[in-house]
Amino acid sequence: MQFQLMASMMCADYGNLEKEVKSLEEGGIDSFHIDVMDGRYVPNFAMSLNDMCYIAGAAKRPLDEHLMIEHPNNRIQLFLLSMKEDMDFEIYWDGACSADKIIEYAPKGGGGVCAWHNLVIWER
């Protein structure tokens, strides 16, 4: 059985985020997991689009994003357009979101999208 090591960035030191990203990559992680919570869809606030953009800019490894936000169909474009071209990513979201919109705005390169409840699965 093959395992992948995914670092949850919710626990990162935001005062030294670039150093955290580099250190985790040097330590051998396979990808970064980013939980985005808006405080409405779920009662917690967690990472934001800005946090994801910063990590995407500093990272060489893929991002695994879990969007726990209200109305993901209205916001998915912001997340997808913020990804670097040729960066592997996976986006998971809870709630209604159109796979067509995701495919339209997805960056060139690798990627995958999956929804928990409506079972939309897409892989580039």
Side-chain angles (χ1 to χ4, degrees), residues 87-101:
M87 175 174 253
D88 288 333
F89 65 94
E90 291 184 357
I91 297 179
Y92 302 88
W93 72 93
D94 297 314
C97 191
S98 165
D100 292 342
K101 198 172 237 190

Side-chain angles (χ1 to χ4, degrees), residues 6-101:
M6 188 180 299
S8 173
M9 297 308 288
M10 283 181 57
C11 304
D13 176 1
Y14 287 92
N16 295 299
L17 197 51
E18 185 173 3
K19 184 180 175 187
E20 290 272 294
V21 167
K22 300 297 179 202
S23 178
L24 287 164
E25 286 183 331
E26 289 170 7
I29 63 127
D30 295 300
S31 63
F32 294 96
H33 182 77
I34 300 173
D35 281 309
V36 178
M37 300 178 200
D38 65 3
R40 287 176 280 205
Y41 185 80
V42 293
N44 297 335
F45 284 97
M47 303 178 79
S48 70
L49 175 62
N50 290 336
D51 299 322
M52 190 233 39
C53 289
Y54 190 85
I55 293 167
K60 295 179 180 145
R61 302 285 164 82
L63 300 186
D64 180 83
E65 300 171 43
H66 183 190
L67 305 182
M68 291 171 273
I69 59 176
E70 273 191 351
H71 311 294
N73 224 13
N74 298 337
R75 295 176 179 86
I76 195 79
Q77 178 182 0
L78 294 171
F79 288 88
L80 292 170
L81 291 175
S82 299
M83 300 301 296
K84 293 189 293 191
E85 220 174 86
D86 295 326
M87 175 174 253
D88 288 333
F89 65 94
E90 291 184 357
I91 297 179
Y92 302 88
W93 72 93
D94 297 314
C97 191
S98 165
D100 292 342
K101 198 172 237 190

